[in-house]
Amino acid sequence: MATKLINRCLCTKVFASPSCLASSALVRRDYTIDRTILSKLKTCDGHMQDLCGFLSTTTANVRLCVIDYAGLSDNPRDKQSFIKLYRCIKEVAVDCLGIVKVYRRHDILKGDVAKKFKSRKGPVRRSA
């Protein structure tokens, strides 16, 4: 999965949340996590709390890349709150079945784009 994000979306950092539910609040994920799971994931830069730390301190514009519309969360309001909280997130790229679509921050917060993130329609194969 990390390799897919690096190759298709040209990600320079990859964060994973290997043991949480898609319905759990984004900013509350991974407070307690077994780091041995993350150490087994190649090219992974950390978990959700590491991502939050990075987003809190970076001065760069960020494109958040996810696999599938529910890859980040299956709660559109939670996604909107997360993007609103971290102003450095300027775009969200979604790799859905090999097609990458990019959405601007404004469109996610104010437009109808949030409806696309409503929920997953079925299981998504994440690994090659």
Side-chain angles (χ1 to χ4, degrees):
M1 181 171 79
T3 304
K4 183 187 265 191
L5 289 169
I6 291 167
N7 293 338
R8 283 198 204 161
C9 297
L10 305 177
C11 295
T12 56
K13 292 189 177 291
V14 175
F15 298 90
S17 203
S19 59
C20 72
L21 299 173
S23 60
S24 60
L26 291 167
V27 295
R28 293 190 182 107
R29 290 184 184 174
D30 300 331
Y31 274 113
T32 57
I33 188 168
D34 183 358
R35 286 247 178 218
T36 57
I37 295 171
L38 284 176
S39 66
K40 293 177 184 177
L41 300 174
K42 295 179 182 178
T43 67
C44 186
D45 294 292
H47 55 66
M48 192 60 161
Q49 292 307 309
D50 296 323
L51 172 61
C52 292
F54 170 75
L55 294 173
S56 294
T57 59
T58 189
T59 57
N61 291 337
V62 173
R63 174 185 281 170
L64 192 62
C65 301
V66 297
I67 297 175
D68 185 52
Y69 284 98
L72 189 59
S73 171
D74 63 5
N75 181 337
R77 286 189 183 152
D78 189 36
K79 284 180 194 173
Q80 287 177 312
S81 296
F82 186 77
I83 291 167
K84 190 174 185 179
L85 178 64
Y86 296 106
R87 296 191 56 83
C88 61
I89 299 173
K90 302 301 181 190
E91 296 176 330
V92 175
V94 181
D95 183 340
C96 189
L97 302 173
I99 298 169
V100 178
K101 294 189 178 187
V102 179
Y103 300 98
R104 295 179 309 148
R105 170 189 184 84
H106 180 278
D107 295 334
I108 295 170
L109 294 176
K110 305 288 184 198
D112 289 337
V113 173
K115 292 176 186 175
K116 291 182 183 268
F117 292 88
K118 188 167 185 171
S119 68
R120 183 178 289 144
K121 292 182 174 126
V124 173
R125 184 173 178 212
R126 295 179 179 262
S127 300

